[in-house]
Amino acid sequence: MEGDIHTVLDFLTLVSTLWVVYMIRFKLKSTYVAELDNMPLYYVAVPSAILAGLINPYTHHFLFARMLWAFAVYLESVSVLPQLNMMQKTKMIEPFTAHYVFALGVARFLGCAHWIIQVYDSAGNYLYLVGAGYIWFPMVILAEIVQTFILADFCYYYVKGVMNGQLIVSLPSPV
């Protein structure tokens, strides 16, 4: 059952992501400001690739497949940084984008909670894997925590804006 629900959820995530990409590329193309989208992608891709080469899961799959899986986990944890950087520069976020990033933040919080519950349910046995030289599991938890904290700030301002009745979220200026 657990494998089936993950497959369904992954499929729903893929469909919703494709819908968002379609909306951004075709329906909302006029709202894109290329001058503000200047964060080099290698800032997030290169560290993720290096980490994936060093720390990846130990499974029966080929090493390259394990490294790709690890790269996806690490990249996902920081992939929202270019979007947040761009939103920080614009200072005002449109409702469609704000709702999407907030939903992403809630999903990441729930994902992080899932891994923390896994550690709790195992009575901390997963954490003992580090002592056995198996650092992949703690790295997954760390990646979830990093992404949760990255999105927590945005979610705070989103909720604050909604509570004040604002349709457009505004972020404070960077210090």
Side-chain angles (χ1 to χ4, degrees), residues 48-111:
S48 298
I50 291 170
L51 204 52
L54 297 174
I55 302 170
N56 52 66
Y58 182 73
T59 65
H60 65 280
H61 299 92
F62 292 112
L63 176 62
F64 185 69
R66 297 189 320 239
M67 289 172 64
L68 282 178
W69 186 19
F71 176 70
V73 168
Y74 300 141
L75 186 62
E76 182 183 21
S77 70
V78 293
S79 65
V80 76
L81 285 175
Q83 178 70 34
L84 291 175
N85 182 45
M86 186 173 162
M87 290 188 314
Q88 188 73 32
K89 290 177 185 175
T90 61
K91 309 268 189 297
M92 302 297 274
I93 297 101
E94 297 175 358
F96 179 80
T97 304
H99 298 326
Y100 175 75
V101 175
F102 178 74
L104 188 61
V106 170
R108 290 298 92 212
F109 172 77
L110 294 173

Side-chain angles (χ1 to χ4, degrees), residues 3 7 21 38 40 57 63 66 72 75 77 84 86 122 131 136 147 175:
T7 302
V21 169
N38 59 2
L63 176 62
R66 297 189 320 239
L75 186 62
S77 70
L84 291 175
M86 186 173 162
S122 74
W136 167 248
Q147 189 172 22
V175 179

Side-chain angles (χ1 to χ4, degrees), residues 7-171:
T7 302
V8 170
L9 292 175
D10 285 345
F11 179 74
L12 290 174
T13 300
L14 175 64
V15 169
S16 64
T17 301
L18 290 174
W19 179 71
V20 167
V21 169
Y22 168 77
M23 292 295 290
I24 289 170
R25 297 278 304 180
F26 300 106
K27 298 288 184 181
L28 301 172
K29 189 174 185 175
S30 63
T31 64
Y32 177 68
V33 182
E35 298 81 43
L36 297 177
D37 189 14
N38 59 2
M39 181 177 180
L41 296 181
Y42 59 82
Y43 283 0
V44 293
V46 171
S48 298
I50 291 170
L51 204 52
L54 297 174
I55 302 170
N56 52 66
Y58 182 73
T59 65
H60 65 280
H61 299 92
F62 292 112
L63 176 62
F64 185 69
R66 297 189 320 239
M67 289 172 64
L68 282 178
W69 186 19
F71 176 70
V73 168
Y74 300 141
L75 186 62
E76 182 183 21
S77 70
V78 293
S79 65
V80 76
L81 285 175
Q83 178 70 34
L84 291 175
N85 182 45
M86 186 173 162
M87 290 188 314
Q88 188 73 32
K89 290 177 185 175
T90 61
K91 309 268 189 297
M92 302 297 274
I93 297 101
E94 297 175 358
F96 179 80
T97 304
H99 298 326
Y100 175 75
V101 175
F102 178 74
L104 188 61
V106 170
R108 290 298 92 212
F109 172 77
L110 294 173
C112 186
H114 165 76
W115 285 107
I116 292 171
I117 290 169
Q118 290 288 345
V119 170
Y120 178 77
D121 282 348
S122 74
N125 288 334
Y126 283 134
L127 297 180
Y128 292 116
L129 295 173
V130 176
Y134 192 76
I135 197 164
W136 167 248
F137 187 79
M139 285 302 292
V140 170
I141 294 173
L142 181 62
E144 290 285 344
I145 290 170
V146 165
Q147 189 172 22
T148 300
F149 278 107
I150 288 172
L151 289 166
D153 184 56
F154 176 83
C155 290
Y156 168 77
Y157 288 107
Y158 176 87
V159 170
K160 185 177 172 183
V162 169
M163 297 298 277
N164 291 333
Q166 298 173 344
L167 291 177
I168 296 178
V169 176
S170 59
L171 297 175

